[in-house]
Amino acid sequence: MVKANIGRPRSEKSREAILNAAHDLLHEQGGTGLTIEAIARRAEVGKPTIYRWWPTLADIVLEALLRQANSEITVSASEPLQETLGQFLRQSMKVIEDGAGLHLRFLMAQAQQDEGFRERFRTHFTAKRRAVLRAIFLRAVEQGDISARQDLDMLVDIVFGTMWYRLLTGHAPMDESFADELTEMTIRLSRTTPAQQDAVP
Amino acid sequence: MVKANIGRPRSEKSREAILNAAHDLLHEQGGTGLTIEAIARRAEVGKPTIYRWWPTLADIVLEALLRQANSEITVSASEPLQETLGQFLRQSMKVIEDGAGLHLRFLMAQAQQDEGFRERFRTHFTAKRRAVLRAIFLRAVEQGDISARQDLDMLVDIVFGTMWYRLLTGHAPMDESFADELTEMTIRLSRTTPAQQDAVP
């Protein structure tokens, strides 16, 4: 029924179909309805095909998210911190509102249930997002916008932490005014001067 | 085999056994090994007994956590913000390190998979924790330690967000030095002056 050795184009098509199926099913049915079986059925591939490429369901959803997130968030690094961070947070909020919030919630939940996936989620997602935001802060240090003594990793923790917490608990909206307020508070914090800790000359 | 109408003491004993079983199993086997069946077996009760008191597995874990957390975090409200917040965060970190971190990670994951539980988790856990921290900030406003124009809810989001993010992603330790750095940064932020937004007299 299936011809052998059709090669790369066919496997590319299957990969695409699997990632689209995962994305669509997550949005149609939420995380609880999402299974490898349902994805295989929707993408018209066998389960072994899926397991050849991804170790778990969560890894498929992560790749589907990365395709979307990479293409949607871009900031201009030449503007002052206020504008760059504002753009970054507004775009993040828009991507979350447009559907990525569902992926993120699913992935963070899976990460609590599978230590191996938690590690991959850190490596392939959170570490990369942290690096982008850290680069924005580092540029602000170079431009003299914030103090060189500022702990940039803690600033990154604070910004992403505040977003993730709202997304996961759902106690308040993820919208533009939240993006703007978080930008404003982060800028205010970044301009304060940390206590001197390594003052020995 | 079982005498009827033994009444409250016996049911209290069963409740206690169920909560202890949930706690112990979570620590012995992690979240993936935790099931209603396993809890029933360990607590020597029937599943219907469990479902009479708790709608889902997550609700049992939540109650087990609340018993622990309520008894362990106390702060003196009469000290300056620096001390009160420092105590609150150090104690929170200690409770997390001593095992509550496992409960919290399990509960936040379950909340992403069950909208009804997410609501109960907000009502019975995160909203209460938020209220305690908000009261600490409000007292600091009254004492003139921080500006009355400060958005206290955003400060609460920032503090809990930063903690939850580290706990869930696991990219850095939840320890005393993290508690102290988060305290220091929150104090610094709380002392900045927000832009005047409602300047009409």
Side-chain angles (χ1 to χ4, degrees):
Chain A
M1 194 177 107
V2 175
K3 280 191 229 167
N5 293 322
I6 303 215
R8 201 156 181 282
R10 183 168 178 281
S11 84
E12 278 302 311
K13 229 177 113 189
S14 298
R15 276 188 84 93
E16 192 78 6
I18 292 163
L19 292 169
N20 289 337
H23 179 272
D24 295 348
L25 285 166
L26 186 60
H27 285 268
E28 286 162 27
Q29 304 174 10
T32 44
L34 194 64
T35 60
I36 293 275
E37 287 72 16
I39 292 173
R41 210 159 39 237
R42 174 73 65 101
E44 298 179 356
V45 299
K47 279 168 64 179
T49 304
I50 296 181
Y51 283 119
R52 203 183 313 144
W53 289 317
W54 294 279
T56 72
L57 180 59
D59 292 277
I60 307 174
V61 175
L62 175 57
E63 190 170 331
L65 172 70
L66 288 175
R67 284 202 311 180
Q68 187 186 353
N70 284 339
S71 63
E72 289 183 24
I73 299 186
T74 49
V75 291
S76 145
S78 58
E79 319 248 346
L81 179 60
Q82 177 96 39
E83 277 73 46
T84 316
L85 183 62
Q87 278 176 35
F88 179 81
L89 293 186
R90 279 182 173 223
Q91 287 187 41
S92 300
M93 231 56 85
K94 191 169 183 313
V95 170
I96 285 169
E97 280 187 300
D98 287 352
L102 268 181
H103 291 76
L104 290 170
R105 291 177 54 201
F106 179 83
L107 293 170
M108 193 60 103
Q110 295 294 312
Q112 308 316 307
Q113 291 155 359
D114 174 344
E115 204 48 50
F117 177 71
R118 191 168 176 231
E119 171 81 44
R120 294 192 294 278
F121 186 49
R122 272 202 301 269
T123 309
H124 300 298
F125 186 79
T126 55
K128 286 181 179 169
R129 304 297 300 143
R130 296 178 63 79
V132 172
L133 184 53
R134 202 179 188 290
I136 290 174
F137 287 132
L138 194 58
R139 213 190 138 77
V141 171
E142 287 161 4
Q143 291 173 328
D145 235 2
I146 63 181
S147 161
R149 293 216 310 276
Q150 209 60 258
D151 183 337
L152 302 187
D153 289 313
M154 273 295 288
L155 280 185
V156 169
D157 275 2
I158 285 173
V159 172
F160 283 125
T162 308
M163 284 201 283
W164 269 107
Y165 176 63
R166 277 219 185 179
L167 176 66
L168 295 172
T169 58
H171 67 276
M174 303 291 289
D175 56 15
E176 211 166 81
S177 85
F178 173 54
D180 292 347
E181 190 164 19
L182 185 53
T183 302
E184 193 268 326
M185 289 185 88
T186 307
I187 299 282
R188 257 200 282 140
L189 172 58
S190 72
R191 287 184 180 151
T192 59
T193 308
Q196 191 92 42
Q197 291 184 313
D198 43 2
V200 180
Chain B
M1 194 177 105
V2 175
K3 281 190 227 167
N5 294 323
I6 301 210
R8 201 157 179 282
R10 183 170 179 279
S11 82
E12 278 302 310
K13 227 177 115 188
S14 298
R15 277 188 83 93
E16 192 77 7
I18 292 163
L19 292 169
N20 288 338
H23 179 273
D24 295 347
L25 285 166
L26 186 61
H27 285 266
E28 286 164 25
Q29 302 174 13
T32 45
L34 194 65
T35 60
I36 293 275
E37 288 73 15
I39 292 173
R41 208 159 39 235
R42 174 75 63 104
E44 297 178 356
V45 300
K47 279 168 65 180
T49 303
I50 294 181
Y51 283 117
R52 202 184 312 145
W53 290 319
W54 296 279
T56 72
L57 179 59
D59 292 276
I60 307 173
V61 175
L62 175 58
E63 190 170 331
L65 173 69
L66 288 174
R67 283 201 312 179
Q68 186 185 354
N70 284 341
S71 63
E72 291 186 21
I73 298 187
T74 50
V75 291
S76 145
S78 58
E79 318 248 349
L81 179 59
Q82 177 96 41
E83 277 72 47
T84 317
L85 183 61
Q87 278 176 33
F88 179 82
L89 294 187
R90 278 180 174 225
Q91 286 187 42
S92 300
M93 230 57 81
K94 189 169 182 318
V95 171
I96 285 170
E97 279 187 302
D98 286 352
L102 267 180
H103 291 77
L104 290 169
R105 291 177 54 200
F106 179 83
L107 294 169
M108 193 59 102
Q110 295 294 310
Q112 308 316 308
Q113 290 155 1
D114 175 344
E115 204 49 48
F117 177 71
R118 191 165 174 232
E119 172 81 44
R120 295 193 293 279
F121 186 48
R122 271 202 300 270
T123 309
H124 301 298
F125 187 79
T126 55
K128 286 183 180 168
R129 301 300 298 145
R130 296 178 64 78
V132 172
L133 184 53
R134 202 179 189 291
I136 290 174
F137 287 132
L138 194 58
R139 209 188 141 77
V141 170
E142 288 161 5
Q143 290 173 327
D145 234 3
I146 64 181
S147 162
R149 293 218 309 278
Q150 210 59 259
D151 183 337
L152 302 189
D153 289 313
M154 273 294 289
L155 280 185
V156 169
D157 275 2
I158 284 173
V159 172
F160 283 126
T162 308
M163 281 200 285
W164 270 107
Y165 176 62
R166 277 220 185 178
L167 177 65
L168 295 171
T169 59
H171 67 277
M174 304 290 290
D175 55 14
E176 212 166 81
S177 84
F178 174 54
D180 292 347
E181 190 164 19
L182 185 54
T183 302
E184 193 269 326
M185 288 185 91
T186 307
I187 299 284
R188 258 200 280 142
L189 172 58
S190 72
R191 288 184 180 152
T192 60
T193 309
Q196 190 92 41
Q197 291 185 313
D198 44 1
V200 181

